[in-house]
Amino acid sequence: MAAEPGATNFARSVFVVRPCTIGANPETRASNPFQEARTIAPEAVLAEFDGLVRALDDAGVRVVVGADTPSPPRPDAVFPNNWVSFHEEAVVLYPMLSPNRRREVRPELVEQVEAELGVVWPRRIDLTGEAERGRFLEGTGSLVLDRARRRALVGRSPRNHPELVRSWAQRLGFESLEFDTRGPDARPLYHTNVVVALGPHHAVWARSWVAEHDRAALAAWFEATDREALALDPGESRAFAANALALIGRDETPLWVLSRRAERALRPASRRRLEAHAALVVVPLDAIETLGGGSARCTLAEIFPPRATESLLGPSP
């Protein structure tokens, strides 16, 4: 499965949102088995967020930081990858399942990204109105993308509607591979990006969470894209080892961004395989993982600038 000429899978820039409202979201707990309604000091969450930004900056990734506002409250503001995705040809805004997550969609933050990077995307695709029709699609939580090969992996979930997945794929020029998942509570997992992460050399996947009847097709796709499948054990999966993101850092260094919890859970063999091809960027995210039920990948919206203006950004600093 050849990559599109000139296309890239891995970003040099990311968009993040510093949160104001700190706490578990009661509207999303029904479909997210990893959230815990615990009392955690807001300072702990903000310290983790600021540490994430510093770690990425130190690794040579350009970070655009948006700011949440106190009102209306947005308990999951720290996870912008669910409401926006930046592609070379368009910016896409997504319809969220939970009403209070729909407040996260703020076009002015897209304008901030454009202003800071000195680019303007030629198209904006706004799917947010689909929520009123009961059709949801939660960005690169629902869609794990091989951008160079124009393929989207989608774990079927209440948070993505199959017709909307196919409409999105048609508009962006992708093909979708949909599969069933069964999480630790035996229900479909809320987001694909806790099940699969795609790096330049590896496909990291929580194999036991993919329904048995779909495992062979997914493994065959990994092989067709020349990726070595790294199957996680239950402990690695539960620690968010698949909720990681491959980026490009300083001097074109491949990076694998993951949480401290995920890194500590890695078996030595898993670590060796990842470190053979990428530098690990490890960030403490325990409070964010506990309250939000998401990890490193969920906090990061990759920025792929319009192709005609990509050169304006230059290489990573």
Side-chain angles (χ1 to χ4, degrees), residues 75-249:
D76 288 317
V78 75
F79 299 140
N81 84 304
N82 300 143
W83 68 262
V84 64
S85 63
F86 298 88
H87 307 258
E88 292 178 340
E89 59 273 71
V91 177
V92 186
L93 306 178
Y94 293 92
M96 313 291 281
L97 172 64
S98 301
N100 68 10
R101 291 214 65 190
R102 297 171 202 166
R103 304 168 187 163
E104 296 170 34
V105 182
R106 296 168 59 202
E108 68 269 23
L109 293 181
V110 175
E111 294 167 6
Q112 176 189 337
V113 173
E114 291 181 325
E116 289 198 24
L117 298 185
V119 301
V120 177
W121 274 268
R123 234 184 354 146
R124 190 172 300 184
I125 300 173
D126 187 346
L127 303 176
T128 57
E130 294 287 343
E132 301 304 317
R133 303 174 59 193
R135 305 201 321 174
F136 313 109
L137 182 60
E138 298 198 341
T140 52
S142 296
L143 305 157
V144 171
L145 303 180
D146 185 326
R147 295 177 186 249
R149 295 175 178 85
R150 314 301 287 179
R151 197 67 178 266
L153 303 179
V154 186
R156 297 183 184 96
S157 159
R159 300 201 193 185
N160 56 71
H161 191 284
E163 291 180 11
L164 194 51
V165 168
R166 289 157 204 161
S167 173
W168 176 94
Q170 184 177 33
R171 294 176 77 168
L172 272 295
F174 278 71
E175 295 181 0
S176 61
L177 174 61
E178 299 171 45
F179 58 93
D180 291 321
T181 64
R182 295 291 181 269
D185 59 358
R187 295 184 299 166
L189 280 158
Y190 64 112
H191 281 156
T192 313
N193 71 6
V194 296
V195 184
V196 184
L198 299 177
H201 298 280
H202 291 97
V204 176
W205 65 317
R207 184 179 182 276
S208 64
W209 288 351
V210 176
E212 190 169 356
H213 59 265
D214 283 329
R215 291 174 189 170
L218 204 53
W221 185 84
F222 297 152
E223 184 176 359
T225 62
D226 297 320
R227 289 185 172 94
E228 180 185 355
L230 196 169
L232 302 173
D233 71 15
E236 292 170 313
S237 300
R238 183 62 184 80
F240 295 109
N243 195 243
L245 183 64
L247 295 170
I248 300 295

Side-chain angles (χ1 to χ4, degrees), residues 29-52:
R29 288 188 65 198
S31 59
N32 184 338
F34 306 124
Q35 278 184 251
E36 298 181 36
R38 290 172 49 187
T39 300
I40 295 178
E43 293 78 11
V45 173
L46 295 176
E48 289 180 353
F49 176 86
D50 294 340
L52 169 67

